[in-house]
Amino acid sequence: MNKILFRQIWNERRSNAWIWLELLLVSVVLWFVVDTSYVTLNTYFEPRGFDISNTYWIRVGTMTPKSPDYIDPSTRNVKAGSDILELLKRLRHFPDVEAVSLSYNSFPYNGSWSGTYAKIDTMGEECRIYKVSPDFLRVFRYHGSNGETPEKLATLLKEGVLIVGENLLTAKYGLKGKDIAGRSVYLSADTTKVWPVVAVTKPVRFNDFVSTYDCRYVMQIYSEASAVNLTENDVRFLELCIRTRPDCPPGFIDRLRNASRSQFTIGNLLFEDVRSLDDIRCMLQLDDMNKLRDQMWGIGFLLFNIFLGLLGTFWFRTQQRRSEMALHVSCGSTRREVFARLIIEGLLLLVSATIIALFIDANIAYAEFIPQMNGSFLTVGRFLITTFITFVLMSLMIVIGIWFPARQAMKIQPAEALREE
Amino acid sequence: MIKQYFKQALYQLHAQPLLSAISVLGTALAICLIMVIVLMQQIKTEPYAPESNRNRMLHVKWMTCYQKGSNIDNSSNGPMSAQTARQCFRALATPEAVTIYTIEHTMQANIPKGKEFSVDMKQTDEQFFKVFDLSFVDGKPFDEASSEAGLPVAVINESVARALYGLTAVIGRQINLNHAPFKICGVVHDVSTLANNAYAQVWIPYKSTDIGGMSWYNDVMGTFRVSILAHSKDDFPAIRKECERLRLKYNEGLAEQEIAYRNQPDTQEVSVIHKWANATPDLNAECNKRFLIYALLLLIPAINLSSMTQSRLRKRITEIGIRRSFGSTRGDIMWQVLFENLILTFLSGLIGLIFCYAFALIFGPSLFASSTLSLLNSSPSVDIMMLMHFSTFGYALLFCLLMNLLSSGIPAWKASRVSITDALSNH
């Protein structure tokens, strides 16, 4: 039977050519989109290394001399920095607040960043540098590689030491967390100062769309005491982050805002903006999410076209081959066999197109037109997975597309069809 | 003859309802998707109020700053300071107007003893209202004297006016911004966030606050951007030249740093893809990518349709034979097939375009949203005037023609090549 089927496909090569060409083209394009989405989703679902549930960011602003409440700094004997410390103290006593931290360019989903170059012996790597007060580790729940709790990590972060992610030197040198714990690090080009690593944390990602492989950081303390001397201009660069207790009722931002006038107007400080980290995450990643959305639409479009193409082609074909199918039935084929024959015919077309498509796919991957995943373009595992997904998606569409014409064909009354002939 | 083609095309639609439905659906879907992509692009680059002059605009979003003697790879990147903006761009003589404005940020607004709420701010100068054509409901923009003196005056939009006082006739009344009183001098129609250079809810003179103090690297980098309005597009090279001259002069005056622009000022088209401060966008690569997507969106459905057109023609092979034997030339046959298909394509294209507009208007806010609009207090609004451009319809027409040519070109050619005897005896 298969031999006949092959011959039949060959004999119909003229009308099959169109559908075959479409299958080939769609297979390649679909694989590309599937592969790109696969890399993105793979990254998206990696562990993030922090927890932003119940966290908020406050941007502190300062009043100007135009405000009636403004106090001329020269008439005061404390600076804006000590106002910040007072603010921290009051925030810590605010209902439902669990932890409050100060930092520079450090919170997750941050649009700005500071970079440095960290070196152990001769092994160096570009990375981000986080300057944070110890409570930052509690606000964003960083966890140590050896099971240290965020609270434990917070006590370890002191002047002159570093906390680093365990993957700091993994991508380039293959070093694991235990290889760098306790070692000394040089930062930037400064070879006079050594920074001992007091703790190693699980990898921490910058956001959901940058993979662990590309996310390296070192963390220094920004001690609250050192904030005392900040001027009004300086405090506006600080990030103030808050974690509320898990049982905190909704509406925290509103409660904080309502209290801001009475409880948090200290010196010339005011809250310019309060946002939940969930909001910040949504907004920073909007472009990436849109891209993912567009890719999903692309996949949908391609598959729908396959469906339409198969539906159209086989609709014609079953009409043209009525007598042939009637003959099959009258020679003892069951109706189910007629149905299966048509489906198999479609799938065989797909298989033959896929063989060529695989060759093209591999070349596209080899030419590095696809996104990198963990530092490489072409890995056997990824290639097999994404081509398999592509094949399954297309088979599904072929089966659905042929389903209706094939159902039609099953209902043939051999006597009638043959009499027409 | 053309009437005949119309009749035949309509008859064909009837004769094969399923195939017609598939063709129409396939074409409509493709045109709809392509046009959605076109709209997504056009909303960022085509002019509409209050950015009606996008064609004549240049933007400088980012600045690059590095130690003298070092290079651009070891640099700090971000918005510029007011000082840099004034000396390098406001000082330009060639353009019609140059405006300085802050990056998006928020302030707390209220009326005396009223509840505070967040508003999106642009701190800018009087030129802003020349570069962008905000439409005033009441009052007028602040003038150069108020801007330079940093007087506490504010232009606000209707929504903020209503939130403060419940009405829009609020000229001369007070608005507190971060606890400081400002006098309202103008009320404008709300601006969509999609016009993101002009967008804000409240506009005040940048010298009226201490925002100028948010600067670093000896007052080179800060929180400002610049938009330049040229007299005409042809002035762009001259403006670029003058920018370069001012940059070199400015660099000479700096003790420790040097600045560079990474190919800026950008045209509107480049500016929208200039997302990151430390990179120069590649417009060509972006265009190629877009063309590839258009090509695929046309080609894949076209293969489908070709196959169907050909099947349909095979059924009409005797008709073609008869036409040929009565003197039709090959060209006539080809023209007939193409024209019949064109009617079908236009019909589907129209359906696709209607779908596309419906889609854009209903899902616009999420469809057109992007990260550049992040941390704003209002979501993007879309109105039909922002989407209606001659070029949009031009594109739609072009894509329909291409689609038609792709989907019926080969079948039409093949049909016209069949010899008369074969065609007549085939049945």
Side-chain angles (χ1 to χ4, degrees):
Chain A
M1 153 160 170
N2 283 339
K3 209 171 160 191
I4 300 172
L5 205 52
F6 276 122
R7 191 174 301 159
Q8 204 163 19
I9 291 175
W10 179 248
N11 286 341
E12 295 223 26
R13 62 188 174 278
R14 278 177 165 239
S15 75
N16 277 339
W18 288 113
I19 198 75
W20 188 85
L21 190 68
E22 186 185 352
L23 289 176
L24 176 67
L25 187 65
V26 170
S27 176
V28 173
V29 179
L30 185 64
W31 167 78
F32 183 83
V33 186
V34 165
D35 186 78
T36 312
S37 310
Y38 172 77
V39 173
T40 311
L41 289 174
N42 203 54
T43 302
Y44 189 87
F45 289 112
E46 279 181 348
R48 304 194 167 98
F50 54 79
D51 172 13
I52 58 155
S53 57
N54 304 317
T55 57
Y56 302 87
W57 164 69
I58 299 178
R59 192 166 65 204
V60 177
T62 49
M63 280 185 272
T64 61
K66 292 204 167 61
S67 166
D69 306 331
Y70 182 75
I71 315 163
D72 186 353
S74 61
T75 64
R76 305 177 68 201
N77 40 20
V78 291
K79 287 192 172 166
S82 55
D83 296 335
I84 281 279
L85 296 185
E86 178 62 27
L87 180 63
L88 286 185
K89 207 170 99 191
R90 291 192 198 172
L91 278 172
R92 284 180 179 135
H93 286 111
F94 193 73
D96 299 323
V97 170
E98 187 175 296
V100 187
S101 68
L102 288 180
S103 53
Y104 281 108
N105 293 345
S106 300
F107 65 75
Y109 307 107
N110 204 316
S112 331
W113 58 288
S114 313
T116 189
Y117 187 77
K119 208 162 85 171
I120 295 181
D121 294 338
T122 54
M123 297 170 290
E125 191 59 294
E126 299 275 349
C127 60
R128 278 196 184 184
I129 180 158
Y130 294 158
K131 287 191 182 169
V132 304
S133 69
D135 271 352
F136 182 90
L137 292 149
R138 290 175 55 213
V139 171
F140 293 108
R141 315 277 325 154
Y142 279 36
H143 284 273
S145 298
N146 301 321
E148 294 99 331
T149 59
E151 287 71 22
K152 169 81 177 153
L153 288 174
T155 61
L156 291 173
L157 188 64
K158 297 244 160 54
E159 287 293 345
V161 300
L162 290 183
I163 289 182
V164 306
E166 64 180 26
N167 62 333
L168 181 65
L169 296 172
T170 309
K172 217 163 163 185
Y173 305 101
L175 295 191
K176 297 258 173 2
K178 60 180 190 317
D179 303 323
I180 51 177
R183 299 284 290 272
S184 294
V185 175
Y186 295 109
L187 288 183
S188 235
D190 184 2
T191 50
T192 54
K193 172 111 179 87
V194 282
W195 298 81
V197 174
V198 288
V200 177
T201 69
K202 300 253 171 65
V204 174
R205 297 205 281 135
F206 304 153
N207 62 52
D208 302 344
F209 290 91
V210 185
S211 66
T212 306
Y213 183 88
D214 293 314
C215 292
R216 295 172 290 273
Y217 82 94
V218 298
M219 181 184 278
Q220 282 177 339
I221 192 168
Y222 178 75
S223 76
E224 291 178 9
S226 67
V228 172
N229 288 319
L230 296 181
T231 64
E232 298 198 349
N233 211 4
D234 300 334
V235 299
R236 292 188 289 184
F237 295 96
L238 278 173
E239 300 160 350
L240 220 148
C241 299
I242 297 183
R243 165 171 292 276
T244 58
R245 286 182 218 292
D247 54 359
C248 170
F252 178 77
I253 292 185
D254 286 336
R255 289 199 294 281
L256 197 65
R257 272 180 194 285
N258 290 339
S260 77
R261 203 66 192 249
S262 54
Q263 291 183 41
F264 301 118
T265 309
I266 307 162
N268 289 325
L269 302 186
L270 56 88
F271 291 166
E272 235 175 30
D273 209 354
V274 186
R275 305 265 177 180
S276 74
L277 261 289
D278 283 322
D279 268 0
I280 294 175
R281 171 181 179 223
C282 274
M283 286 162 178
L284 184 93
Q285 303 192 146
L286 201 57
D287 285 347
D288 296 291
M289 288 307 262
N290 283 351
K291 203 170 143 195
L292 197 60
R293 174 197 69 189
D294 296 347
Q295 283 168 3
M296 293 304 140
W297 275 98
I299 292 179
F301 174 80
L302 293 171
L303 291 179
F304 189 68
N305 266 293
I306 302 257
F307 166 73
L308 284 186
L310 268 297
L311 185 64
T313 312
F314 275 77
W315 189 265
F316 246 110
R317 198 162 286 178
T318 46
Q319 280 182 350
Q320 280 176 347
R321 288 207 218 141
R322 263 170 74 83
S323 43
E324 175 210 322
M325 277 177 238
L327 205 60
H328 271 294
V329 175
S330 57
C331 290
S333 276
T334 62
R335 290 175 188 279
R336 182 171 281 193
E337 274 166 358
V338 170
F339 183 79
R341 244 182 104 83
L342 283 167
I343 301 259
I344 290 170
E345 192 178 330
L347 290 177
L348 277 177
L349 274 172
L350 176 64
V351 170
S352 65
T354 300
I355 291 168
I356 308 293
L358 280 178
F359 178 73
I360 301 174
D361 295 347
N363 273 291
I364 291 176
Y366 186 73
E368 307 191 341
F369 286 134
I370 50 173
Q372 276 197 45
M373 188 164 101
N374 296 333
S376 54
F377 290 95
L378 187 60
T379 54
V380 176
R382 170 180 162 189
F383 190 74
L384 288 180
I385 290 170
T386 54
T387 47
F388 180 72
I389 294 173
T390 310
F391 183 78
V392 169
L393 284 176
M394 290 183 69
S395 316
L396 212 64
M397 282 299 124
I398 285 181
V399 171
I400 300 174
I402 300 180
W403 193 277
F404 298 102
R407 294 276 304 182
Q408 211 71 14
M410 263 170 78
K411 291 186 193 134
I412 287 174
Q413 294 299 327
E416 273 176 34
L418 290 172
R419 192 181 56 211
E420 276 171 25
E421 189 65 11
Chain B
M1 199 66 210
I2 298 229
K3 202 170 149 200
Q4 181 68 28
Y5 292 161
F6 264 105
K7 271 190 191 160
Q8 211 138 13
L10 287 178
Y11 173 77
Q12 288 290 321
L13 265 178
H14 275 292
Q16 295 278 351
L18 183 86
L19 284 187
S20 305
I22 293 176
S23 311
V24 171
L25 202 62
T27 314
L29 185 72
I31 296 290
C32 177
L33 266 188
I34 291 178
M35 290 316 293
V36 166
I37 297 176
V38 168
L39 284 186
M40 281 165 85
Q41 177 57 27
Q42 287 197 330
I43 203 129
K44 294 181 193 157
T45 55
E46 285 289 314
Y48 51 83
E51 297 190 358
S52 307
N53 297 318
R54 279 178 171 179
N55 292 335
R56 292 194 283 137
M57 276 187 204
L58 290 170
H59 307 282
V60 187
K61 270 169 139 175
W62 310 115
M63 185 89 350
T64 295
C65 166
Y66 50 90
Q67 289 292 318
K68 274 211 157 105
S70 176
N71 65 41
I72 209 160
D73 296 326
N74 196 359
S75 60
S76 182
N77 302 277
M80 68 189 97
S81 67
Q83 171 195 297
T84 309
R86 289 184 77 91
Q87 295 189 22
C88 295
F89 300 104
R90 271 296 296 261
L92 290 170
T94 327
E96 185 180 324
V98 179
T99 180
I100 303 175
Y101 52 90
T102 50
I103 52 174
E104 297 80 12
H105 71 116
T106 304
M107 276 192 181
Q108 299 301 315
N110 67 347
I111 51 175
K113 301 210 169 65
K115 193 171 156 30
E116 285 191 338
F117 59 97
S118 298
V119 290
D120 294 324
M121 300 294 302
K122 278 236 159 81
Q123 304 193 31
T124 179
D125 52 21
E126 80 289 346
Q127 297 280 318
F128 189 85
F129 304 96
K130 288 190 185 140
V131 176
F132 302 108
D133 50 328
L134 297 165
S135 74
F136 277 79
V137 182
D138 201 359
K140 53 182 186 351
F142 44 83
D143 56 15
E144 186 174 359
S146 329
S147 173
E148 287 301 312
L151 294 185
V153 286
V155 171
I156 66 175
N157 73 4
E158 285 179 304
S159 306
V160 172
R162 282 205 196 90
L164 291 170
Y165 289 105
L167 69 167
T168 57
V170 292
I171 301 302
R173 297 214 197 173
Q174 184 180 335
I175 174 175
N176 285 346
L177 293 166
N178 280 1
H179 304 190
F182 280 70
K183 198 174 117 190
I184 299 168
C185 69
V187 179
V188 296
H189 281 300
D190 286 9
V191 177
S192 171
T193 54
L194 295 169
N196 67 319
N197 289 317
Y199 171 79
Q201 293 173 311
V202 176
W203 297 261
I204 58 173
Y206 72 91
K207 284 191 173 173
S208 67
T209 68
D210 52 359
I211 190 88
M214 287 219 26
S215 67
W216 43 98
Y217 298 116
N218 300 326
D219 206 16
V220 170
M221 307 290 278
T223 55
F224 287 90
R225 286 181 178 159
V226 165
S227 286
I228 301 167
L229 181 66
H231 287 290
S232 98
K233 228 174 163 170
D234 307 330
D235 290 349
F236 286 176
I239 292 173
R240 289 218 168 80
K241 222 178 216 168
E242 199 187 354
C243 282
E244 184 59 14
R245 202 165 50 74
L246 291 183
R247 183 180 79 89
L248 294 176
K249 196 173 132 203
Y250 186 63
N251 277 344
E252 269 173 31
L254 295 176
E256 293 165 30
Q257 278 87 19
E258 259 182 73
I259 57 162
Y261 303 155
R262 295 182 191 265
N263 284 347
Q264 293 175 102
D266 288 334
T267 55
Q268 179 76 21
E269 203 178 7
V270 178
S271 178
V272 293
I273 56 169
H274 204 155
K275 187 175 174 185
W276 302 111
N278 57 355
T280 314
D282 186 347
L283 187 63
N284 277 342
E286 190 65 25
C287 285
N288 288 343
K289 206 173 101 190
R290 229 172 281 149
F291 280 129
L292 186 69
I293 291 172
Y294 291 150
L296 286 172
L297 286 181
L298 282 174
L299 200 59
I300 290 168
I303 298 176
N304 256 344
L305 298 175
S306 288
S307 148
M308 269 173 266
T309 315
Q310 201 166 358
S311 311
R312 220 171 3 207
L313 284 178
R314 210 178 300 157
K315 287 207 159 177
R316 290 170 61 190
I317 199 87
T318 28
E319 177 203 326
I320 292 168
I322 291 167
R323 270 187 201 283
R324 293 272 284 120
S325 59
F326 277 89
S328 275
T329 61
R330 296 205 154 131
D332 288 340
I333 299 288
M334 246 181 103
W335 169 240
Q336 184 192 350
V337 174
L338 282 176
F339 194 86
E340 275 179 31
N341 252 285
L342 193 64
I343 295 168
L344 208 74
T345 314
F346 274 143
L347 183 73
S348 327
L350 193 66
I351 296 172
L353 195 63
I354 291 169
F355 267 115
C356 161
Y357 270 111
F359 194 77
L361 288 174
I362 297 168
F363 298 103
S366 69
L367 188 66
F368 301 126
S370 77
S371 287
T372 23
L373 316 171
S374 60
L375 293 182
L376 296 183
N377 294 305
S378 56
S379 60
S381 59
V382 182
D383 75 69
I384 191 89
M385 289 321 288
M386 292 161 67
L387 301 175
M388 289 283 178
H389 306 286
F390 278 117
S391 54
T392 319
F393 298 108
Y395 277 120
L397 198 66
L398 175 77
F399 284 124
C400 278
L401 285 173
L402 276 175
M403 184 69 148
N404 184 52
L405 213 58
L406 279 172
S407 66
S408 56
I410 297 179
W413 184 77
K414 276 191 146 177
S416 68
R417 294 287 118 177
V418 176
S419 76
I420 302 174
T421 43
D422 282 353
L424 287 175
S425 66
N426 205 9
H427 207 57

